[in-house]
Amino acid sequence: MTTTVGIRSKDGVVLAADKRASKGFFVGSKVVQKIFSLDGATAVAIAGAMSDAEYLVNLAKAERRLLALRRGYPLSVKESAKLISNIVYSSMKSYNPFYVELVVAGVDREGAHVYTSDMSGAITSEDFMSSGSGSPIAYGVLEQGFRKEFSLDEARKLAEAAVRAAMERDPGSGNGVDVLAIPNGHAFGGAN
Amino acid sequence: MASGEMGRMPFFYNQEGRLVQVDYALQAVSRGSTTLGLKTKDFALLSSQVKPTRPLMEPAEKVFVVDDHIGATGSGYIGDVTTLLDQVRVAAQRHRLVYDEPIDVGTLSRTLSEYLHEFTMYAVRPFGASVLLAGVDDLGVQLLQVDPSGTTFKGSAFAIGQSSDEALETIVKGYRPDLSVEAALALATEAIEAVNGGKSVIEHGLVTAASKRFEHQQLPNAVA
């Protein structure tokens, strides 16, 4: 269930997600937040089992805080994505997987990045990525609409349009869109 | 049991009822650099002397952030201090995972004290380090000292390390419950410099009830 979208633009990243939590064929909640910030410059959009995803995000937050305190500077987006995928991978290998597909997006010294990590721990990075049951529909909009030279605002508009398209045809997605835009050079670090 | 036999098992009580290993650990602490903690109802300050370094060498970090709202410093073997520091940092994050709330200073010091206590029970070396914890939680501003034995003290001012008794005397003379941050910085600097033969490099860390954030910075003689 769920549709999440992450887009990389020349001046930042955008995350978008719908607000529906499904319980089988029932709409369990219409106001669920699926975008979580790991700190001021990195965020995660979650799809899959909400309990697994929220636990994973909290675990990643704790591990990131520890590492940032120990070494004195925060994690890059790639490091954050790899941290999450390592946790997911080891769980899969011990037959106790996290039922999640996450989009990790953020800005760091090297600019804007978007990664997805699935429940096997595989990570991929592209200019735009989508996860959840509505992702095939969202990808249709993204493939048609994406331009490399997009500004942050244009990326934000496309992300929202992709999630809205998925909400029209995917019964697992709906009830509104949350969007988070992180501009390049955004104060990165911060404990939360 | 003959006393000679006891001598070969220093992790047992001796005939005076003392744990000599723990006494030695405290002696190791008193050889460390002079380190102070100072608290009013509005803030807590941690100050530690940074021992003179060799040329071209960077001074060691002495005051540490444990979590957003708690800081720590220590005296004794620096390797032991940093190991203990990591323990409390992990405990703080574990608490956030379990309760989704920042840890309170009392629970954190209890965790540290239980960890230290383990090392007084068996044939291992107790940690040669005392730790000062300063933080803000729902109960207000907190300042605690945790010793190698696992003993925890709560209070408004602490001194550990070299010449700590003399340093504490200076603090006691100058302490008032309505001390300003600037006055506390000056007092801590004065106390450390008085027992270390003048101008010293001192690292300070501060947490205020208003900000609820522990900030530390290298302040070489911020208030001279």
Side-chain angles (χ1 to χ4, degrees):
Chain A
M1 304 299 116
T2 297
T3 307
T4 72
V5 163
I7 301 181
R8 191 162 88 104
S9 81
K10 64 178 180 358
D11 31 53
V13 287
V14 173
L15 277 176
D18 72 300
K19 298 173 78 68
R20 176 174 297 178
S22 305
K23 285 182 174 168
F25 289 113
F26 184 68
V27 178
S29 172
K30 302 191 279 187
V31 290
V32 161
Q33 259 213 46
K34 303 181 183 182
I35 300 175
F36 294 88
S37 60
L38 294 180
D39 64 18
T42 316
V44 181
I46 64 175
M50 222 170 81
S51 56
D52 275 354
E54 282 187 16
Y55 181 83
L56 188 59
V57 166
N58 286 333
L59 191 58
K61 271 191 193 176
E63 293 283 3
R64 288 177 91 260
R65 275 208 205 90
L66 271 178
L67 185 57
L69 278 173
R70 282 167 176 156
R71 73 182 192 181
Y73 63 96
L75 278 79
S76 68
V77 184
K78 187 183 127 194
E79 284 173 318
S80 301
K82 195 70 198 174
L83 168 70
I84 289 171
S85 90
N86 276 330
I87 298 168
V88 171
Y89 177 79
S90 63
S91 312
M92 191 245 334
K93 280 292 181 184
S94 48
Y95 303 98
N96 195 10
F98 284 95
Y99 289 95
V100 291
E101 197 177 354
L102 304 178
V103 178
V104 183
V107 296
D108 55 30
R109 281 187 194 83
E110 270 96 61
H113 308 274
V114 176
Y115 291 88
T116 60
S117 171
D118 65 11
M119 60 185 284
S120 78
I123 44 174
T124 39
S125 175
E126 287 176 35
D127 288 335
F128 54 86
M129 310 222 65
S130 180
S131 74
S133 57
S135 63
I137 301 163
Y139 268 125
V141 176
L142 293 168
E143 291 288 357
Q144 281 292 310
F146 179 77
R147 301 285 176 275
K148 267 212 183 310
E149 60 279 6
F150 263 177
S151 69
L152 191 59
D153 199 49
E154 288 168 313
R156 194 185 58 75
K157 284 188 182 119
L158 180 64
E160 188 184 335
V163 175
R164 288 211 183 275
M167 278 162 45
E168 292 290 328
R169 292 285 170 169
D170 171 38
S173 309
N175 306 108
V177 186
D178 275 333
V179 183
L180 175 72
I182 308 172
N184 273 344
H186 194 274
F188 95 104
N192 230 327
Chain B
M1 206 181 283
S3 63
E5 223 170 307
M6 297 291 259
R8 272 183 275 122
M9 288 188 275
F11 48 94
F12 279 174
Y13 293 103
N14 70 8
Q15 277 168 330
E16 288 100 62
R18 303 193 68 85
L19 292 164
V20 287
Q21 290 285 75
V22 173
D23 289 351
Y24 296 157
L26 281 166
Q27 265 177 45
V29 173
S30 66
R31 285 161 44 83
S33 54
T34 318
T35 299
L36 303 173
L38 236 167
K39 185 195 81 169
T40 71
K41 68 179 195 339
D42 299 318
F43 67 89
L45 173 73
L46 297 178
S47 309
S48 185
Q49 193 219 5
V50 180
K51 287 236 177 102
T53 54
R54 293 195 297 272
L56 303 180
M57 195 174 91
E58 287 179 24
E61 195 184 354
K62 290 299 295 290
V63 177
F64 306 92
V65 177
V66 173
D67 199 351
D68 291 353
H69 60 304
I70 301 178
T73 184
S75 198
Y77 284 101
I78 194 74
D80 288 7
V81 173
T82 48
T83 303
L84 294 176
L85 180 86
D86 211 65
Q87 288 290 327
V88 291
R89 279 177 172 169
V90 170
Q93 291 311 316
R94 194 165 282 154
H95 191 279
R96 280 184 183 268
L97 267 181
V98 175
Y99 301 106
D100 200 15
E101 287 288 337
I103 196 168
D104 59 288
V105 190
T107 301
L108 190 71
S109 72
R110 176 67 66 90
T111 314
L112 176 60
S113 121
E114 281 171 4
Y115 181 74
L116 285 162
H117 181 253
E118 287 283 302
F119 291 80
T120 68
M121 303 270 284
Y122 310 102
V124 288
R125 170 178 78 84
F127 280 86
S130 284
V131 173
L132 299 182
L133 293 169
V136 174
D137 58 28
D138 287 355
L139 300 174
V141 181
Q142 311 258 12
L143 178 68
L144 294 113
Q145 174 182 340
V146 188
D147 277 353
S149 57
T151 317
T152 305
F153 306 95
K154 258 174 107 168
S156 296
F158 291 114
I160 53 176
Q162 240 159 40
S163 319
S164 54
D165 292 345
E166 292 95 306
L168 194 58
E169 264 174 47
T170 313
I171 297 285
V172 169
K173 271 189 210 129
Y175 183 84
R176 281 179 299 119
D178 59 347
L179 222 54
S180 69
V181 172
E182 292 72 28
L185 272 166
L187 183 59
T189 307
E190 181 200 333
I192 291 176
E193 290 187 342
V195 296
N196 285 289
K199 220 152 176 62
S200 306
V201 180
I202 301 166
E203 192 179 348
H204 300 283
L206 181 75
V207 60
T208 63
S211 73
K212 292 188 168 66
R213 283 187 73 85
F214 186 86
E215 314 269 1
H216 80 118
Q217 55 205 124
Q218 199 93 23
L219 293 170
N221 309 307
V223 186

